[in-house]
Amino acid sequence: MASIPARVTERIRTALKKYQPILTAAKARDVNESDTVVIITDLLQEMFGYDKYSEITSEHMIRNTFCDLAVKIDGKLAFLIEVKAIGLDLKDNHVKQAVDYAANQGCDWVGLTNGFAWRVYRVSFTKPIEHECIVEFDILQMNARDSDDIDLLGVIAKEGWRKAQLEEYREQKQALSRFTLGALLLSDPVVKFVRRELRRLSGALVDAEEIRKVLQADVIKRDALEGEKAVAAGRQVTRAANKAKRKEKADQDEAVATVEIVE
């Protein structure tokens, strides 16, 4: 994940120190949803860098109603935010309405927050509409001196948004998912590597399919190999492997052609 500029780091650190006691006090008073929205609006400006007068609105109408908050960058809808009262624990079903709104608007990103707890979801326009939590953090648990915490907050800051860091973070998280890693462990290059290393260690020449069967049955958890996400990860790994093979063949053909020309 790319680092954020020093001035943004300092802004986030300063705002984090300021808003941790504000959020703690609001939580102790159990303020209502409307008051929570006020705090979040200020937080979006002072920590995340959005202009609350031109880029944040509670007047974005969808289907004859208004979402809690909408953030626009350069006049384009960036993400919707569903706000809950600060004393309410967040649940996945709380974001359903905002996801429906996002689908209606063609918006890829939705936030869910009670002020201190935040979840950011990526909306997939499939049938049915799906959503996946990509970023999750608790502002009250974050450390202003921890660069990892600051970088995570920077992912949803205005500057990070413009550099597509949220999408980059999603791709990184997806690459490290159990589904992707499971598919990679079963791929031909990895199985061939394991086969070669087994022969080096023990002298035994084990069949590649036997290695794959053991990985599937005894090494990789079943939930990493089953379901739509596992199938999608398998296809992604296969496509990447095929692409690498095509490139390798093209490079070989080019090298042969170069030799023939020289001769």
Side-chain angles (χ1 to χ4, degrees), residues 145-166:
R145 294 188 297 273
D146 190 319
S147 60
D148 289 338
D149 284 353
I150 301 302
D151 284 347
L152 183 59
L153 291 169
V155 166
I156 64 171
K158 180 177 177 179
E159 295 82 3
W161 187 273
R162 282 188 160 152
K163 292 182 179 180
Q165 286 186 348
L166 187 54

Side-chain angles (χ1 to χ4, degrees), residues 8 17 22 33 67 69-70 79 112 114 117 123 143 185 216 226 230 234 253 262:
V8 179
K17 293 175 183 177
I22 291 174
E33 186 174 303
C67 64
L69 289 171
F79 60 98
L112 172 66
N114 60 6
V123 179
N143 187 336
L185 288 173
Q216 288 175 315
E226 296 180 346
D253 291 345
V262 172

Side-chain angles (χ1 to χ4, degrees), residues 16-246:
L16 186 60
K17 293 175 183 177
K18 175 181 177 179
Y19 277 91
Q20 282 179 328
I22 291 174
L23 290 166
T24 299
K27 186 179 179 183
R29 298 197 312 273
D30 194 22
V31 302
N32 60 30
E33 186 174 303
S34 296
D35 289 340
T36 304
V37 169
V38 172
I39 296 173
I40 291 168
T41 302
D42 290 341
L43 191 66
L44 284 168
Q45 174 164 285
E46 295 189 40
M47 181 179 289
F48 297 115
Y50 300 101
D51 189 311
K52 69 179 181 180
Y53 299 111
S54 63
E55 295 175 326
I56 306 167
T57 179
S58 58
E59 298 295 318
H60 188 77
M61 181 173 281
I62 303 171
R63 294 178 180 174
N64 298 318
T65 188
F66 296 100
C67 64
D68 291 327
L69 289 171
V71 175
K72 297 180 180 181
I73 300 177
D74 300 326
K76 183 180 179 181
L77 182 63
F79 60 98
L80 303 174
I81 302 177
E82 178 76 10
V83 178
K84 296 299 176 186
I86 199 165
L88 192 65
D89 292 335
L90 300 185
K91 297 180 180 178
D92 284 339
N93 61 2
H94 287 155
V95 81
K96 184 180 184 305
Q97 186 177 33
V99 169
D100 290 341
Y101 289 162
N104 179 267
Q105 298 285 294
C107 180
D108 293 329
W109 296 97
V110 168
L112 172 66
T113 182
N114 60 6
F116 63 91
W118 287 72
R119 296 178 187 175
V120 181
Y121 296 82
R122 178 67 154 80
V123 179
S124 299
F125 301 104
T126 54
K127 292 184 179 180
I129 298 295
E130 295 182 350
H131 60 280
E132 179 183 7
C133 184
I134 303 300
V135 179
E136 185 171 7
F137 56 83
D138 183 333
I139 288 178
L140 296 181
Q141 300 300 317
M142 305 197 94
N143 187 336
R145 294 188 297 273
D146 190 319
S147 60
D148 289 338
D149 284 353
I150 301 302
D151 284 347
L152 183 59
L153 291 169
V155 166
I156 64 171
K158 180 177 177 179
E159 295 82 3
W161 187 273
R162 282 188 160 152
K163 292 182 179 180
Q165 286 186 348
L166 187 54
E167 185 63 33
E168 179 185 330
Y169 186 84
R170 182 188 76 86
E171 291 173 356
Q172 180 181 353
K173 185 175 180 180
Q174 187 177 53
L176 290 172
S177 75
R178 63 184 185 275
F179 305 108
T180 302
L181 294 176
L184 278 173
L185 288 173
L186 296 176
S187 66
D188 288 342
V190 173
V191 171
K192 287 179 180 177
F193 172 80
V194 172
R195 184 171 184 256
R196 185 171 65 249
E197 289 301 296
L198 285 174
R199 186 174 187 182
R200 185 178 67 82
L201 289 171
S202 65
L205 184 59
V206 184
D207 183 74
E209 283 308 309
E210 288 299 315
I211 294 172
R212 189 173 278 109
K213 287 178 181 178
V214 172
L215 288 172
Q216 288 175 315
D218 301 323
V219 178
I220 306 171
K221 288 186 176 181
R222 184 175 295 277
D223 65 354
L225 302 176
E226 296 180 346
E228 292 182 5
K229 291 183 179 180
V231 172
R235 289 173 179 165
Q236 182 183 19
V237 169
T238 299
R239 284 196 300 269
N242 291 338
K243 182 178 180 181
K245 287 179 182 177
R246 288 194 298 270

